[in-house]
Amino acid sequence: NEGTDWIGITPTPTIPSGATWTVQVPYVIRPADMVDDDDQPFTVSGATRTALAAYTDALPLYAAAELEKLRKDTQQSAVKRQQAEQRVLAYLDKQRAPGGKTVGVARSYRREVAVRRG
């Protein structure tokens, strides 16, 4: 079937009844080249990743940074590269799960033991 890939594992693992296993396969998408005027970046098999559409300006900014190097304008290259990096960081920040970075426990087991002993 088109768009379907099968993975075989040899030897076959013995999975206990009721257990769930997960196989993770690293995969890099290789989208088609953008050759037409109406081609959209981040499009694979006709489907565009709309979550990335707001950040497509990072691509020409990075390209401009690289082209400025050819003009020997390192200052403008650094400015364009920083702008591109800011767009990438904005995307990564948007993908981050909401909430703080600290994890707390619902119960203080040490305090409960101290109360029982005291």
Side-chain angles (χ1 to χ4, degrees):
N1 296 343
E2 187 176 326
T4 302
D5 293 318
W6 296 93
I7 298 172
I9 300 174
T10 305
T12 305
T14 304
I15 302 173
S17 177
T20 302
W21 285 22
T22 303
V23 175
Q24 295 182 349
V25 179
Y27 176 68
V28 177
I29 295 175
R30 299 194 194 289
D33 293 335
M34 294 176 51
V35 293
D36 294 327
D37 291 342
D38 59 348
D39 283 345
Q40 295 292 320
F42 312 114
T43 300
V44 178
S45 301
T48 302
R49 294 276 314 266
T50 55
L52 298 171
Y55 305 98
T56 57
D57 56 339
L59 298 173
L61 285 169
Y62 180 78
E66 293 299 305
L67 290 173
E68 289 294 343
K69 291 178 186 177
L70 298 174
R71 294 181 1 152
K72 308 289 189 224
D73 191 348
T74 55
Q75 183 179 3
Q76 195 60 269
S77 175
V79 168
K80 297 293 184 193
R81 186 178 186 94
Q82 183 180 21
Q83 290 173 339
E85 288 175 358
Q86 286 173 347
R87 295 302 293 151
V88 171
L89 290 175
Y91 169 75
L92 293 174
D93 188 50
K94 185 85 170 176
Q95 299 305 307
R96 190 170 294 125
K101 293 184 179 184
T102 59
V103 177
V105 294
R107 297 171 53 178
S108 175
Y109 295 99
R110 289 184 181 178
R111 187 176 305 139
E112 289 178 18
V113 170
V115 169
R116 284 186 218 143
R117 289 181 182 170

